[in-house]
Amino acid sequence: MKMINRYILNEAKAPIFFGISLFTFIFLIDIIVSMLESIIVKGISIIDVARMISFYLPMILSQTIPMGIFLGVMVTFGSLTKYSEITAINSMGISLNKLLKLISIVGVIGTVFIFFLQESIIPRSYVKLQQLSIKMVYNNPVFQLKDKVLIDEVDKYKIYIDKIDAKTKDAKNVLIFYNDNTKYPTLITGERTYWESASMILDNSKFYRFKDNGEEQLRGEFKEKRIPLTSYFKDIEIKMKDIEGMGVGSLYKEYKQSNENERRPFIVEMNRKIAVPISAIILSILGVLLSVGNKRSGKGTNYGVAIGIIFIYIVFLNLGMVLAYRGIVSPFLGVWFSNIFLIILTYSLYKKKGRVI
């Protein structure tokens, strides 16, 4: 029995890994396209892009592991059935229930690993992602600046930029209002501006200071004027706002501290973070039941069936969450409906296959 179990698990390793990789890549496509745009348009380094993708990866894996296990199990048992290995295994006294027990252990391992990702890795990755975003802004604030827009959230400065050079990222015809606790702000102009070490460097700049009655008090010129923005970035506090980056424990704390009208999103997300990992167990069992006994089904058929069921599962899950967020259905029903659908399908197949195998 141990030898057979080891053989089945060895056969399932590569398909499960392939399935997880496939669905992870599909989920990453949108992020990768967005990152490519950032490289070309905003000048973000490839290293920073790779780091950002690595921080997104745990969040994506928490969703794709159940799907990958399902596809891998279907391919594995489809192959075992096609070459009559399942028949040989059954002739050795190994029943369908024993096979399901073996594969359900794989699903349990996947579930435990997803819980580990959600509670330990994902919150840290989410904070690291925010820190990296701030670092990129810190090193090059031009990412946040646009043509012909007044920006008034940088320290005591209000900044107006007439034009930003798409190639050099330098700003032209910059107008800066510095509020130094006087009635009228000091006016600073610059022909060309670039960013260096969280500071704005103005070439050929002029400044104008005014009295309380509005008359000009002082004016001057600088060949180069440095305006440090360090305090703006130093005071930024990393706070996790996106509930998808929180663990169940953090969500529960936020739920207890929020008022009645703000609790629904936290309840929905807590249910999702429990329902999705549990689906790995259900899908692993369903993958076996869909594959055994279908000798004519090849890998192509198994891929199609697996992707079709995953598509239905994702649609039901997202639709249920939308209805739950809007208060049309309860959070439990909205989130768990997709799992209930899988359980009903699994049970019906088990009753059918149990009589044949």
Side-chain angles (χ1 to χ4, degrees):
M1 180 66 184
K2 290 183 178 180
M3 185 180 299
I4 297 297
N5 289 346
R6 193 179 301 112
Y7 173 74
I8 293 174
L9 292 176
N10 285 333
E11 289 292 310
K13 284 180 181 177
I16 289 175
F17 178 78
F18 171 77
I20 294 173
S21 301
L22 174 65
F23 287 113
T24 300
F25 177 75
I26 292 172
F27 277 61
L28 274 174
I29 288 177
D30 183 55
I31 297 174
I32 292 173
V33 171
S34 177
M35 292 298 99
L36 290 175
E37 179 183 354
S38 297
I39 294 175
I40 298 170
V41 177
K42 299 180 180 179
I44 298 177
S45 69
I46 296 178
I47 294 176
D48 284 336
V49 170
R51 290 183 64 194
M52 292 184 76
I53 291 175
S54 70
F55 294 143
Y56 275 115
L57 199 56
M59 307 178 198
I60 295 173
L61 281 173
S62 67
Q63 303 176 62
T64 58
I65 286 175
M67 305 175 191
I69 291 176
F70 176 54
L71 179 60
V73 168
M74 281 204 64
V75 171
T76 301
F77 279 84
S79 178
L80 293 175
T81 300
K82 182 178 181 181
Y83 296 104
S84 301
E85 291 178 272
I86 287 293
T87 303
I89 291 173
N90 288 335
S91 66
M92 297 171 63
I94 300 176
S95 64
L96 176 62
N97 287 338
K98 291 181 179 180
L99 292 176
L100 294 179
K101 182 179 178 180
L102 172 64
I103 293 303
S104 65
I105 294 174
V106 176
V108 169
I109 293 173
T111 297
V112 172
F113 184 68
I114 295 171
F115 278 128
F116 170 72
L117 287 176
Q118 291 181 164
E119 296 303 307
S120 180
I121 304 300
I122 291 177
R124 296 177 186 178
S125 296
Y126 193 86
V127 171
K128 290 288 185 182
L129 186 62
Q130 289 180 311
Q131 290 175 338
L132 179 59
S133 301
I134 291 174
K135 170 184 170 291
M136 291 188 295
V137 176
Y138 182 92
N139 291 333
N140 195 347
V142 73
F143 298 153
Q144 299 276 316
L145 306 181
K146 298 180 180 180
D147 296 347
K148 295 180 174 56
V149 174
L150 180 66
I151 299 164
D152 59 357
E153 299 176 350
V154 182
D155 291 337
K156 297 181 179 181
Y157 299 96
K158 292 185 178 181
I159 305 170
Y160 177 82
I161 295 175
D162 182 57
K163 186 178 181 181
I164 294 180
D165 192 305
K167 294 182 179 180
T168 65
K169 304 299 182 182
D170 293 342
K172 296 181 179 180
N173 302 324
V174 177
L175 187 63
I176 299 175
F177 301 93
Y178 174 64
N179 184 7
D180 52 356
N181 297 322
T182 57
K183 186 175 181 180
Y184 295 96
T186 299
L187 179 62
I188 305 172
T189 64
E191 292 182 5
R192 184 179 76 94
T193 303
Y194 59 95
W195 283 261
E196 183 180 274
S197 301
S199 295
M200 294 181 65
I201 312 298
L202 284 75
D203 286 344
N204 300 322
S205 66
K206 299 178 181 179
F207 76 90
Y208 305 88
R209 187 172 295 168
F210 303 92
K211 298 179 182 179
D212 289 343
N213 59 8
E215 294 181 2
E216 183 179 311
Q217 180 183 20
L218 180 68
R219 70 165 60 187
E221 296 183 6
F222 297 94
K223 185 176 181 181
E224 182 180 284
K225 171 70 174 176
R226 178 182 291 267
I227 300 178
L229 305 178
T230 308
S231 60
Y232 168 67
F233 298 103
K234 181 178 64 179
D235 293 337
I236 293 178
E237 180 182 354
I238 301 296
K239 184 177 181 182
M240 192 178 299
K241 296 180 180 179
D242 191 342
I243 60 176
E244 292 183 3
M246 296 183 184
V248 175
S250 299
L251 286 167
Y252 183 73
K253 289 180 181 178
E254 292 290 336
Y255 165 78
K256 296 296 289 185
Q257 294 173 2
S258 59
N259 59 50
E260 194 68 30
N261 297 327
E262 297 174 340
R263 287 183 169 183
R264 180 169 288 272
F266 297 106
I267 301 175
V268 173
E269 190 62 22
M270 278 191 287
N271 276 279
R272 188 187 74 84
K273 286 186 178 295
I274 297 173
V276 172
I278 294 297
S279 69
I281 302 173
I282 306 169
L283 285 169
S284 64
I285 296 173
L286 180 60
V288 176
L289 295 173
L290 284 170
S291 303
V292 294
N294 297 325
K295 293 186 177 182
R296 296 182 180 180
S297 64
K299 288 185 178 181
T301 302
N302 288 334
Y303 284 142
V305 172
I307 292 174
I309 291 177
I310 290 298
F311 176 77
I312 295 172
Y313 171 77
I314 292 174
V315 169
F316 282 171
L317 178 61
N318 290 332
L319 179 61
M321 289 185 65
V322 169
L323 295 176
Y325 273 121
R326 294 184 178 181
I328 299 175
V329 299
S330 69
F332 179 85
L333 179 61
V335 176
W336 286 88
F337 179 76
S338 53
N339 277 18
I340 294 171
F341 160 73
L342 293 179
I343 291 171
I344 293 173
L345 179 60
T346 301
Y347 179 75
S348 62
L349 282 172
Y350 175 74
K351 297 297 288 183
K352 179 181 178 181
K353 295 293 177 73
R355 292 193 296 265
V356 178
I357 300 175

